[in-house]
């Protein structure tokens, strides 16, 4: 692995030491960190072109943020540690692209998790034990088909012989279990409530297996249980379940809260599901812009046009012009086939074989494999973390 370069900046010596410790105290060891005082931050960045910047906001918080704001060109990936509940500093940090805003009271473990999460999102670290490719699916607005796509993509990958675990991370309104006609005894809320170790053996006991063979980690039964689940549970689930499946699929909520953001950090691929109506397009553009602002790599994003038909209210040329990008896959509108699946908890290949929609999901599974660099069978045989502050800061930004 090549050396990972960080610049750590702060005017509070004790805090700066803790930040340095967070960077150097964990694998990988190939990290290189330089300390810069606020007054020399600009010069250090120009000279060293670091990949990442960790800022501890002290007495000179405004001056430091101003320096970063006025930096020409691309900025390093950024994590900020600052006063708790200072919404002005939090928002300002987010506007300059901070991936994470942690409070001064964050523990060393939290700081390290943040460092690792950022490196992971930059593709600087690979999770050595994980063999699953992680795919997130998000509808750009309510009812565009995010859950339908998650479930049917999972079923298609499974039908092609892969092992697939589908986690419902739409914690308040998740309906993956409904789409598979399951009545889950255990859900992701049980992961959060668990006091003992969360290992593969435990997680296996709370997964539900659909007759199609897809393993499902259901969303909480009660809406209020969503509050129990945080980013660290996403990390645990991704790490443990990722060791034991070819694919881990997250059905994502549309809020960019801690859970969603931590899931985004884990993704090899994000599928944004939209359709050809004006409100969905408007939300697609906003979502693409937001993903860019938080530094999610556009190379990992795929745009899916769902419910495509020759009666689309907007022409494809206009769609592409408006979004300034094309679609990576199109899924035809088929009300009967979709209803049959959703009403009876079936996969498309069971409920509506030989339809265009079913074929489109077979193609989508194949495209998904190639998008993550999994070409074919021989390839298959060889395979082997923003907290509540960001949630509040981003609230209303989308
Ligand atoms: N290609 C399609 N053709 C016809 N109907 C579809 C298609 N895709 C999805 N649907 C239907 O659209 C409805 C909404 O789909 P879904 O629940 O997946 O949306 P969502 O984006 O997950 O919404 P939510 O905001 O509730 O999370 C469902 O009834 C589903 O059957
Ligand atoms: Mg949904």
């Amino acid at each position: 692995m090549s050396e990972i370069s960080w610049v750590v900046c702060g005017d509070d010596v004790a805090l700066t030491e803790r930040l340095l410790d967070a960077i150097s105290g964990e694998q990988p060891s190939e990290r290189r960190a330089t300390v810069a005082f606020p007054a020399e931050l600009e010069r250090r960045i120009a000279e060293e072109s670091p990949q990442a910047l960790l800022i501890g906001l002290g007495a000179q918080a405004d001056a430091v943020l101003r320096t970063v704001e006025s930096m020409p060109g691309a900025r390093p990936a950024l994590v900020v540690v600052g006063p708790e509940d200072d919404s002005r500093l939090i928002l300002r940090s987010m506007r300059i692209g901070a991936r994470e805003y942690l409070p001064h009271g964050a523990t060393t473990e939290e700081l390290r998790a943040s460092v690792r999460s950022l490196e992971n999102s930059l593709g600087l670290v690979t999770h050595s034990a994980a063999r699953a490719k992680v795919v997130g699916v998000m509808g750009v607005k309510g009812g565009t088909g995010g859950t339908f796509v998650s479930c049917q993509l999972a079923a298609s990958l499974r039908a092609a012989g892969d092992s697939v675990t589908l986690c419902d991370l739409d914690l308040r309104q998740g309906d993956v279990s409904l789409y598979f006609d399951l009545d889950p005894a255990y859900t992701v809320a049980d992961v959060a409530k668990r006091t003992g170790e969360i290992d593969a053996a435990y997680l296996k006991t709370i997964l539900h297996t659909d007759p199609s063979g897809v393993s499902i980690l259901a969303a909480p039964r009660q809406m209020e249980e969503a509050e129990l689940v945080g980013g660290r549970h996403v990390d645990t689930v991704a790490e443990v379940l990722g060791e034991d499946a070819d694919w881990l699929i997250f059905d994502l909520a549309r809020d960019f809260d801690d859970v969603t953001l931590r899931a985004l950090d884990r993704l090899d691929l994000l599928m944004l599901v939209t359709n050809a109506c004006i409100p969905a397009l408007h939300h697609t553009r906003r979502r693409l812009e937001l993903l860019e602002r938080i530094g999610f790599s556009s190379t990992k994003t795929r745009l899916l046009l769902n419910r495509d038909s020759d009666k689309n209210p907007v022409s494809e040329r206009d769609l592409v012009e408006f979004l300034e990008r094309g679609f990576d896959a199109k899924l035809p509108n088929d009300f009967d086939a979709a209803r049959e699946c959703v009403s009876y908890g079936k996969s498309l290949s069971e409920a509506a074989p030989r339809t265009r929609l079913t074929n489109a999901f077979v193609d989508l599974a194949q495209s998904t494999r190639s998008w993550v660099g999994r070409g074919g069978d021989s390839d298959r045989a060889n395979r082997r973390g923003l907290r509540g502050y960001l949630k509040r800061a981003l609230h209303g930004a989308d």
Side-chain angles (χ1 to χ4, degrees):
M1 182 183 288
S2 60
E3 209 170 57
I4 298 166
S5 57
W6 283 79
V7 163
V8 177
C9 173
D11 56 346
D12 177 321
V13 175
L15 176 61
T16 307
E17 273 176 14
R18 288 182 56 223
L19 300 184
L20 270 173
D21 187 41
I23 285 180
S24 59
E26 205 198 40
Q27 293 293 328
S29 55
E30 295 89 344
R31 294 188 177 114
R32 175 167 55 89
T34 307
V35 178
F37 291 106
E40 56 178 12
L41 180 60
E42 195 170 352
R43 179 176 62 78
R44 286 286 194 169
I45 288 187
E47 282 173 6
E48 299 187 17
S49 305
Q51 288 151 305
L53 176 60
L54 182 55
I55 293 180
L57 294 178
Q60 299 179 48
D62 284 312
V64 173
L65 293 177
R66 207 176 311 122
T67 303
V68 180
E69 274 160 8
S70 61
M71 264 177 209
R75 294 173 189 143
L78 177 65
V79 171
V80 178
V81 180
E84 188 165 352
D85 290 335
D86 188 327
S87 56
R88 191 183 59 85
L89 288 181
I90 295 169
L91 269 172
R92 213 166 148 190
S93 300
M94 303 323 303
R95 287 202 182 106
I96 58 172
R99 308 287 178 90
E100 197 148 18
Y101 186 99
L102 293 154
H104 283 150
T107 63
T108 306
E109 280 64 40
E110 285 171 324
L111 293 170
R112 283 182 183 163
S114 182
V115 163
R116 189 168 172 75
S117 169
L118 180 137
E119 290 180 343
N120 178 45
S121 70
L122 291 173
L124 298 173
V125 168
T126 52
H127 294 275
S128 54
R131 72 182 179 115
K133 292 291 181 187
V134 189
V135 179
V137 182
M138 183 187 280
V140 298
K141 85 182 270 300
T144 47
T147 302
F148 185 75
V149 170
S150 306
C151 297
Q152 296 305 329
L153 174 64
S156 288
L157 287 165
R158 178 70 199 119
D162 288 355
S163 55
V164 186
T165 300
L166 173 54
C167 300
D168 195 340
L169 291 185
D170 190 350
L171 299 174
R172 286 169 193 81
Q173 307 191 57
D175 39 23
V176 165
S177 51
L178 184 83
Y179 278 31
F180 279 97
D181 197 23
L182 293 171
D183 182 15
Y186 300 102
T187 74
V188 68
D190 292 286
V191 175
K193 290 179 197 161
R194 170 110 173 144
T195 50
E197 198 186 343
I198 300 170
D199 55 12
Y202 168 70
L203 283 180
K204 262 192 189 129
T205 65
I206 65 164
L207 291 179
H208 300 267
T209 304
D210 172 72
S212 69
V214 174
S215 297
I216 292 150
L217 182 56
R221 294 169 73 97
Q222 317 291 348
M223 266 186 178
E224 58 274 24
E225 286 180 320
E227 305 304 325
L228 303 172
V229 183
R232 66 199 164 90
H233 302 116
V234 174
D235 284 340
T236 305
V237 162
E239 263 157 36
V240 179
L241 293 180
E243 285 176 39
D244 203 31
D246 295 319
W247 299 92
L248 196 53
I249 299 181
F250 290 140
D251 185 20
L252 298 169
R254 280 181 302 282
D255 311 325
F256 276 52
D257 61 6
D258 189 27
V259 165
T260 302
L261 289 161
R262 204 67 81 88
L264 287 175
D265 280 345
R266 294 261 164 197
L267 299 188
D268 295 294
L269 209 58
L270 172 65
M271 296 190 183
L272 276 185
V273 181
T274 188
N275 59 41
C277 72
I278 304 282
L281 291 171
H282 170 70
H283 285 282
T284 305
R285 197 150 90 169
R286 295 187 71 200
R287 221 140 259 268
L288 288 168
E289 287 166 357
L290 178 58
L291 286 165
E292 191 180 336
R293 283 203 300 281
I294 65 169
F296 187 82
S297 168
S298 61
T299 61
K300 292 185 187 173
T301 308
R302 297 291 179 277
L303 193 55
L304 273 52
L305 180 64
N306 191 23
R307 307 195 73 154
D308 183 34
S309 98
D310 51 14
K311 298 193 183 72
N312 282 348
V314 185
S315 76
E316 183 161 354
R317 213 185 59 179
D318 289 346
L319 294 174
V320 170
E321 195 177 308
F322 177 76
L323 293 173
E324 296 173 355
R325 66 169 286 167
F327 296 100
D328 299 288
K330 293 185 206 165
L331 301 163
N333 187 44
D334 187 336
F335 179 79
D336 292 337
R339 187 196 48 203
E340 198 70 8
C341 292
V342 176
S343 307
Y344 301 106
K346 290 181 175 172
S347 68
L348 272 165
S349 61
E350 278 182 284
R354 293 185 296 279
T355 57
R356 284 180 57 225
L357 185 57
T358 304
N359 292 338
F361 272 96
V362 173
D363 292 346
L364 181 63
Q366 193 51 42
S367 300
T368 305
R369 304 176 136 282
S370 68
W371 288 333
V372 299
R374 280 185 173 168
D377 290 345
S378 57
D379 185 36
R380 209 185 311 166
N382 290 331
R383 309 182 286 253
R384 333 160 296 69
L386 301 172
R387 313 244 185 296
Y389 304 93
L390 174 53
K391 179 162 65 176
R392 292 200 303 272
L394 280 175
H395 190 73
D398 181 61

